[in-house]
Structures are given as C-alpha cells and as structure tokens.
Amino acid sequence: MSGAVIENLSTRKLCFMLASLLAAAIVFFLVGGLISPEPSSSMSFLMTKCEDRALKNDWLYLRPKMNCKPLHFETYVPQPGGNLRDVVFVAQMPHVRGGITLEYSPWFQFLLGLLDIDIEYDPDRHLAENALLQLEVRLGYRTHDDPPTTWHELISTTVTRRLDCSIAEDKKEPNAAYNCSVMDLFELGSNAYPFYLINIRLPVNEEQCMKDPSGPNCAIGRLKDLSIIEIHQNGGFTKIWLAMKTLLTPFVLAATIWYWSRIRQLTRQPYLLEKAIFALGVSLASLDFPLEWLSLWFRLPFMLLVCDLRQGLFYAMLFSFWLIFTGEHLIEDSSRNSLIAYWRHLAFVVVASLCLLVYDMCERGIQLSNPFYSIWSTSVGTNLAYAIIYVASLCALLYFVFLVYKVGRVWSTIKRKRAAALQMNRNRRLKFEMIIYRFKFLMALTVVCAGFTIASYIMKQYGESQMHSDEFMESPLVNSTSAFFTGTFGLWNIYVILLLAMYAPSHKQYAGAVRVDDDDDDLGEPTATEQSVLATFVKPAVD
Amino acid sequence: MARILLLFVVSVLWPAPVDALEAAWWSSIAQLSAHYTPNSNNLLGAKPFCSQLTGLSPGQHRICDLFIDHMPAVGQGAQEAISECEHQFKQQRWNCSTPSGSGYVGPIHKRGTKEAAFTYAILSAGVTHEIGRRCRLGLLGSCGCSEADRPDNLHKDWTWGGCGDNVDYGYRFAKDFIDVREKEKSFPKRSNDHGRSLMNRWNNEVGRRVTKKLTRPRCKCHGVSGSCNLKTCWMQMPTTRQLGDALVSKYRTARRIQINQRGNMQIVGQPDKRDKSDFSKQPKQNFKSELVFLDDSPDYCRTDIVAGTTGTQGRPCKRGSSGPDSCDMLCCGRGYNTFTEETHSKCKCKFQWCCRVVCQTCLNRTTVDICK
C-alpha cells in the first residue's frame, strides 16, 4: 500500500487536528447534555370503559363531550344476551393538560403504544398461565380540519397477545393485583396526525370457551383496567438531532468525495482496504443524510424502518472494516487484498446483520401495513424472533472474539518483525515502520472512541437509574441520555472523517500530481518528518 | 337526596364535639358518588355542591369550587383508603372505627394516637393515589405537565420535552387540599391543638410520600431492532394494597413526639439528643417518612363516644387463634357468645364471561363467635 496522509503529517499538525476534533466531540456531548431534552417521553392513558351494544361501529370518544356511558366492572350488570364485546375501552390521545388540548406533532417522529393490563385475583375466575388475550382494536385519527367529533379510521384489526401475569402465593386474596408485564400494542413509524382515538373490544366466544377453556379471552381472570402507554420521541430532541445531521452531512460528503478523488488519482487499482474505507464513508454519509426532514411535511411511516436500515448498514460496514483493516496488517499473511479471502471472517458480520434485517423486516416491515402486528404475539413468532436474536448475538460474540484474536496476532507479528527489521535496509525498514504506525494510530483511535462510547453508555444508565431513585436527587448525570446519543453520534462521525482524511493515499507516492492539499507541506524534508512522527508515536507505544 | 339523609344519619350517630368534626369532612367527601364524571351535568351546574360537603374549611371550600371535578376523586380516594384500612386492621381491636363497609371515617381523631396517625396518612395517600389515577383517565383537565399558571407555553413545552408525572400532580393537589385546613387555624404555640395540627400535617405528608416512593418506573426498550440503547420509562403507581402494607409497617414503628417550648415537634425518648432531634429545624432523612403520634392509644375495648372508640362488642372473633383476632384478645376478656349460622354461599362457580360468574348456592353451617 502506498503511503497514507497520516505518515506524512507533521506531529504538530496532527496534534492540533486531534485536539480540535476532541473539542468538537466534547461540544457534541454538551449539546446533548445541556440543550437537548430527553430523547423520548411517555404519556399514560387509563382507558375509559363504556357500554356499547350497537352493532354498527360508531366511534366512541371522550372529548369534547363523552358520547358513551361509562361503566364500572364492580357494578356492571350486563344485559341478557350481552357479551364482553359490549364493553368498549376508549382512550383519546393525547391528554388535555392545563386546560389545553395537546396535540401530536410530526416532530415526534414515531408513536409507540403499549398495553398494560390490570387483573385482580379472584378465586372464581381462573387466570390461565400464558392466557391469550384477543383484542378488536380500532385506531382512528383526526386532523385540524375535521370537526371535533369526526374520526377517520387508520386501521381496524383483531390481534392477540399473550398474557404474562404472576402473583405471589401468599398475596392471593380478593382484590390483590396480579403483576402483569406490559404488552406491545402498536407502533406508528410517523406521527402525521395531531389526534388519535383507540377503541378496544374483547370478544368472547362462549361456545368455543366451553370446548377450549384456554381459548382467546376465555381465561383472562377478573379484568379490572386496561391502560395504554404511549411513547414518542421528544420534539426538542428531534430538532437537535436533525440539526446535527444536517450540519455533519456536508463534512462527511466532502471527506468521502475528496477521499475517492485521491484514490482515483492513483495509477494503480485501489486496494481492498481503501475500498473498505470508502464504503465506510458512504455508509456514514447515508446514515447522516437528514432524510427525516421529509417526514415533517409528508406522511412517511417507513421512516423508522429506513432509519434502522441505515444504522444497520453503518454498523455492518464498521465491523467489516475493522476485520479487513486488521487482516491487511497481518504482514505475513499472503492471501490478502480480496474480499473472497475474508469470507469466513465476514460471515459473522453478514449473518448477524442479515438476522437483524430479517427481524426488523418482520417487525417494523409488517407494521407498515398493520401497526398492531407483533412478531412476539404468536408462539411461532416468539420462537423465531428468539432464534434470530440468539443467532445474531452469537455471531456478534464470535466476531469480537475473532477480532481480538486477530489484533493479538498482529501485535505478536509486529513484535517479531521489529526485531527482524533492525537488519533490513533503511527504506524497507521505514516502510515497515509506517505500516506499524498506521495500525497503531487506528487502534488507538478506535479504542478511544469505543472507550468514550462505553463510558457514556454507563453514565447514561447511571443517570437513568438516578432519575427514578427514591429521593429525587438533582444530579448532572440525570440528563445524560441525550448527551449519550449526540455525543457518540458525533464521535463516530469524527472517527470516520478522521479515517477518510488520514488514510487517503498521500501525494508523496505519485509524481506529477497537483499538490492541492496542505497536508503535505512538509514534503520538503520527508525523512526528518517521518522520523519525528515515528519517534513520537511508535516508541512510547512499543515501550 | 339520599346522600344528604345519610350525612344527617352520620352526624346523629356521632354527635361528637368539635374534635370529631375534624373527621366529618372526610366522611362527607367519601360519600360522594364514586362514579361521578365531570361530563354529567347534574353536579356541574349545581353550585352549592361544595356546600353540601359538611366540615370543609374555608380554604378547602375555595379549592372545591375551583376544582369541582377533582372532588369525586378525593371522595373515591378516601373511600378506598378507608376500605384498605379496614382490610389491614380487620383482626385488630381497632378496626378503623368504622361500621364495616360504610365508608365512614370513625371518630378516632380526638386523641393524637398511633391510629389517628395511620388514618391521616392513609387518607392522604388514598387521595394522592386516586388523583394520579384519574389524571391518566384524561378527565381531569389540569393534570401534569407544567405548573398551571402559564399555560400559554404549555403546548410548546410539551412538544419540546414531554409532560410531567401524574403522581406529582396528585401529590401537589392532595397537599394543597388536605393540609390547607391545618394551616388556616392559628393556635397558641404550646397548646394541644397546635401539636395536633403539626402531627396531622406530618402524617399527611408521610402518606403522600409513601405514595410517591412506591411509584416505580417501568421501562421499555425501543432502540434499533428493539435494542435497549433507547429506553423510555414511565411511572407506575402502587396498588392501594401496597400503600396499606407500607403504611401498616410504618404504623408499627411510629414515633412518639412531644411539642417543646418553642412549639416544635421533637421525638420523645432521646434525651441526650434532644436538641439535635428537633427535626423541624434539622430534618433527618429517616424521620421524614415515619409516622408520629402524641398520645397513648386506649385499649379500644369499650364503646366510648367521648374518647372516640367504637369498642369490640359484637365483633366476630376466632376461637383457638393465638393472634390479635383470638376471642381472648378481641373481646378484652368479656367472653363471647357462640351462634350457629347458616349461610348461603356461592360454590362450584363457573366462569362465563367477563362480568358474570354462574355459581350454585351451597348451604354452609358455621359457628360464629361474637364478643359480648
């Protein structure tokens, strides 16, 4: 491989560059920590129970004036021939607060609904383990132009969920509450409407229940309440996030284009490593591209999926790049410089990403047509999802074990070769030292970035636990969730930009090229610079 | 109409002097229809609604007028607190001094006993809990988010960073509404009434704090492919049973206090640390969540309207039990009568659907022991 920019850069310039990039990274963390609100918030809705025997499906709503008769299970006596289906659970989102009817905004990006079920212990009503809950759900929306009582149907469907409830043996007395885990209800990939309305019915087929007591809604115990918990991204966080992306995109694009033009100017075919760095640049540019602006004006439910895909692509590229980079620096290895040589190693990355892709397509992909779909609702789906996730995790684990093994091998090679290098002639030794330096620089950079990411992740977890501790302590870490997101996002952008800038082929290697960059101002006395750089970086790292 | 009649009956049943009136407002509020909703017009139009509630202090009256839609929640909360109190103390001599199932707060408030402390705490916890619950129902317009005095920016605030917590709102409302009556009257600094007022406020606060403390976060991971790098939590309120359990254990470890020269509360039994334990000046973390009481409890054996106890006469007890519900303990040594009772009870029940259970009726013959 020809000499890269990094080998020809003076120490002073490198230090200056690293310092300014570190400052930029700190700014990213601070923006998240000081300006941005939490990434997401939630709102909880206890559903109002109404009786509705009408077979025509009119919308039942709570505001402006409740058009149904609320009922209470303690006193509810169903009419003869009635059915649990006559009970409608109603939630109108969002709430009224401070006398103001709040509304959802496209800035919220997504809307996630969870279902929380309250079941009371009753010796007469059996709650089966893993009982099936069947819901007839209707999700409606209203726009600003509609009159306040007009609702349009977004989707109407019947879904099943599996209950996961438990109660301690010694607490089993009337009115004691079961402890049930929260179920996924729906997920909207965009938030185009200001108001939503949910009507849920629980149909029971008595005849079928006689035959099969574990059928849907046959053994769900004494139902007390249903609640919906809605989760959305905060508008403030979206603003900060989009601003960051918009700001970073030109830089990443410029760096990628500049890098590719450098490669194109080479007289030889680009090496695999160079292609890998370029691919990393492209995947980051696509991750950064602020496509989300469109969702503020158009209804784009697929935005969440696209977002996932772009992130997945970037991670896959980053992991592959690390493998290729380490592989290309295994100096003894002769089978290099082609993707085929890496197929066994890359298989881990490919399988893991494919698994997650399949999972995402099965979950968020199908949710595009039916927001209430969940792969976890059926036992087959649950098993499939678990299988996919286990395979992906196993691949990721194997990948990291393998990567560590490879890095270890490179280190031992370097050690061995360094002893041998003393006998080499000056030119070869220098070239060899270059390769070592290049490797170590990236190693250091990667370790620093990964270290920062892990440290901020721990801080985020700590901050989140602080937020919910008994004493409401005011800690600066409480607001660290956003700082984690903006900080790490900025950090990995800087990482890739630095890679593109530093590992581009240097002008030094090809004659006749127009020197446009100030990177190689020092070319007048190459040896001196190289030696000084080497002396600064290689020696302390080895000793 | 029936409600007013009931209230009348209550006041006849307990024609206790001034002190029992303290509790009367709870009883009258607890009788509010639990199923009232602000959308039903029958109460909204009727202005004298708040006047129907006997025993409200002027400050409470004002809040009632302003937040009329909150009153059924206060009532429901009080009612649930009372039935939880009955559940927790069903085997004790003191059984909340309420005729079972009536939803009245008994006349226990004359003395500043442990039991009074518990009652104040659980009532205030019940109100906090129910207000928080109703916020989630979407029927109380003024819940959560920001302080209500600047609703102009509310929409912007919400879009930017979300809303506050429902329990906090319940806490604030319960504090304003329940404590206001204790703050209105000013007693001489060393009088008994002043001490009672301090004690009540303290125990009210303990009840609200317990509600807040038992409110636990529940979280959902929803990052890329459902991973946990993005996690959102919401606060889940405790059940009334959890509140009752927590407050009963506080009842057992309640601390005795006295009022010192300066009119501050101090814990009895720590003479060497007397100055330090003056905890209105130096709030200690561990005292803040303890129930406090001023007076010894009576034995609750005999009916004594003046002392404010209903007695254990007529209470069913358990023969052969060694706990507080044993006939020896419960009947205070007065002995008991044994009856044979035939009861029709449901048995061999079959679940049909949500709201109906079809049972056969079985005849049970049981012996019941009733305290003399």
Side-chain angles (χ1 to χ4, degrees), chain A residues 256-274:
Chain A
T256 312
I257 291 167
W258 174 81
Y259 180 85
W260 191 240
S261 71
R262 276 280 168 110
I263 301 276
R264 289 286 297 279
Q265 284 165 22
L266 290 174
T267 45
R268 57 170 171 77
Q269 285 292 308
Y271 290 127
L272 176 65
L273 185 56
E274 286 163 346

Side-chain angles (χ1 to χ4, degrees), chain A residues 37 40 44-46 66 78 82 84 97-98 100 103 116 125 173 180 184 206 218 227 235-236 311 360 460 485, chain B residues 39 87 133 136-137 141 143 151 154-155 158-160 217-218 220 224-225 229 232 236 241 351 353-354 357:
Chain A
S40 52
S44 176
F45 301 83
L46 188 64
M66 201 188 284
L84 188 49
R97 286 289 181 255
I100 291 181
E103 38 188 84
D116 196 11
R125 313 258 181 95
E173 45 191 33
C180 296
D184 291 322
E206 285 179 49
C218 294
S227 316
Q311 261 191 59
D360 231 54
K460 174 183 90 114
F485 283 106
Chain B
N39 285 32
H87 172 84
R133 200 185 82 93
R136 297 169 50 224
L137 209 52
C143 285
L154 176 60
H155 213 288
W158 186 62
T159 310
W160 176 265
R218 286 185 91 174
K220 162 81 182 166
V224 182
S225 300
N229 70 337
T232 307
Q236 194 174 45
R241 182 57 41 83
F351 167 79
W353 33 261
C354 101
V357 179

Side-chain angles (χ1 to χ4, degrees), chain A residues 122-177:
Chain A
D122 186 338
D124 296 335
R125 313 258 181 95
H126 180 55
L127 171 62
E129 209 171 299
N130 289 327
L132 276 181
L133 181 71
Q134 192 178 49
L135 310 159
E136 272 182 37
V137 282
R138 279 181 95 200
L139 180 63
Y141 68 90
R142 191 165 76 75
T143 60
H144 287 117
D145 305 330
D146 294 318
T149 56
T150 305
W151 293 90
H152 307 284
E153 185 167 283
L154 197 66
I155 185 157
S156 166
T157 177
T158 303
V159 292
T160 49
R161 296 286 184 266
R162 216 163 265 281
L163 291 183
D164 175 20
C165 297
S166 62
I167 189 168
E169 240 1 273
D170 60 319
K171 300 264 177 192
K172 279 191 175 172
E173 45 191 33
N175 296 335

Side-chain angles (χ1 to χ4, degrees), chain A residues 57-71:
Chain A
N57 266 340
D58 279 336
W59 288 104
L60 296 182
Y61 48 83
L62 309 177
R63 290 183 301 270
K65 189 176 184 312
M66 201 188 284
N67 71 339
C68 70
K69 200 174 103 238
L71 62 88

Side-chain angles (χ1 to χ4, degrees), chain B residues 9 12 43 54 61 66 110 112 130 135 155 172 177 181 192 202 218 270 294 312 314 330 343 345 348:
Chain B
V9 172
V12 169
L43 288 173
T54 46
H61 209 290
L66 277 173
K110 186 170 168 56
E130 183 63 21
C135 279
H155 213 288
R172 283 206 308 274
F177 184 69
R181 66 179 299 122
N192 282 341
W202 186 273
R218 286 185 91 174
Q270 289 173 315
L294 283 161
T312 62
L330 199 65
T343 50
S345 69
K348 292 176 188 161

Side-chain angles (χ1 to χ4, degrees), chain B residues 78-122:
Chain B
Q79 213 163 46
E80 270 170 25
I82 293 165
S83 55
E84 182 57 28
C85 178
E86 280 166 12
H87 172 84
Q88 295 286 352
F89 284 90
K90 62 174 180 246
Q91 298 178 341
Q92 311 283 333
R93 280 184 191 165
W94 178 72
N95 64 343
C96 295
S97 304
T98 60
S100 183
S102 66
Y104 296 119
V105 183
I108 47 108
H109 297 77
K110 186 170 168 56
R111 292 193 197 170
T113 57
K114 266 177 147 183
E115 287 72 30
F118 179 84
T119 313
Y120 273 88
I122 198 158

Side-chain angles (χ1 to χ4, degrees), chain A residues 168-425:
Chain A
E169 240 1 273
D170 60 319
K171 300 264 177 192
K172 279 191 175 172
E173 45 191 33
N175 296 335
Y178 277 92
N179 189 8
C180 296
S181 53
V182 178
M183 293 165 278
D184 291 322
L185 189 62
F186 65 87
E187 186 170 287
L188 297 176
S190 73
N191 213 332
Y193 305 111
F195 310 106
Y196 294 93
L197 178 68
I198 297 187
N199 286 0
I200 296 182
R201 293 167 192 261
L202 306 172
V204 182
N205 186 335
E206 285 179 49
E207 277 173 32
Q208 212 181 326
C209 284
M210 296 289 182
K211 283 183 217 150
D212 174 21
S214 63
N217 292 355
C218 294
I220 53 172
R222 194 173 72 186
L223 183 68
K224 190 168 170 253
D225 274 313
L226 284 184
S227 316
I228 285 182
I229 293 118
E230 158 273 307
I231 293 174
H232 60 261
Q233 184 163 312
N234 278 333
F237 183 76
T238 312
K239 278 176 195 170
I240 303 269
W241 193 245
L242 269 181
M244 269 180 64
K245 281 185 146 188
T246 313
L247 194 79
L248 278 167
T249 305
F251 285 98
V252 175
L253 268 180
T256 312
I257 291 167
W258 174 81
Y259 180 85
W260 191 240
S261 71
R262 276 280 168 110
I263 301 276
R264 289 286 297 279
Q265 284 165 22
L266 290 174
T267 45
R268 57 170 171 77
Q269 285 292 308
Y271 290 127
L272 176 65
L273 185 56
E274 286 163 346
K275 285 188 217 156
I277 293 178
F278 176 68
L280 190 63
V282 170
S283 69
L284 181 70
S286 80
L287 177 67
D288 278 358
F289 191 76
L291 202 62
E292 287 90 340
W293 283 116
L294 291 179
S295 70
L296 300 181
W297 292 285
F298 305 103
R299 195 177 162 260
L300 304 171
F302 53 82
M303 202 48 94
L304 205 56
L305 183 66
V306 169
C307 206
D308 276 8
L309 293 183
R310 291 194 295 174
Q311 261 191 59
L313 181 73
F314 175 70
Y315 286 132
M317 259 335 290
L318 188 67
F319 288 168
S320 310
F321 163 74
W322 283 341
L323 259 189
I324 291 171
F325 188 85
T326 335
E328 291 293 298
H329 284 80
L330 267 181
I331 300 155
E332 283 173 328
D333 208 332
S334 54
S335 61
R336 284 179 292 140
N337 201 20
S338 88
L339 212 52
I340 298 145
Y342 289 97
W343 75 267
R344 262 181 301 146
H345 320 149
L346 288 179
F348 295 132
V349 181
V350 172
V351 170
S353 349
L354 277 183
C355 281
L356 292 178
L357 179 68
V358 167
Y359 174 80
D360 231 54
M361 290 314 264
C362 287
E363 183 82 357
R364 286 192 169 154
I366 299 179
Q367 274 165 0
L368 290 182
S369 61
N370 177 7
F372 289 88
Y373 176 83
S374 168
I375 192 171
W376 299 94
S377 64
T378 61
S379 54
V380 179
T382 305
N383 290 340
L384 181 73
Y386 271 126
I388 287 173
I389 288 169
Y390 283 143
V391 170
S393 319
L394 186 72
C395 280
L397 186 74
L398 286 176
Y399 165 82
F400 277 106
V401 169
F402 189 69
L403 188 68
V404 168
Y405 162 73
K406 271 203 134 179
V407 170
R409 262 189 74 188
V410 174
W411 276 108
S412 69
T413 316
I414 286 175
K415 250 188 189 160
R416 231 168 336 108
K417 286 274 177 167
R418 185 174 288 278
L422 293 174
Q423 279 95 52
M424 291 178 190
N425 66 37

Side-chain angles (χ1 to χ4, degrees), chain B residues 16 20 34 39 66 69 83 114-115 131 133 138 151 166 180 189 224 237 240-241 257 271 280 309 321 328 372:
Chain B
N39 285 32
L66 277 173
D69 57 339
S83 55
K114 266 177 147 183
E115 287 72 30
I131 295 276
R133 200 185 82 93
N166 299 325
V180 69
K189 269 208 163 181
V224 182
M237 287 198 293
T240 334
R241 182 57 41 83
I257 49 156
S280 60
T309 66
S321 158
D328 287 346
K372 278 182 187 169

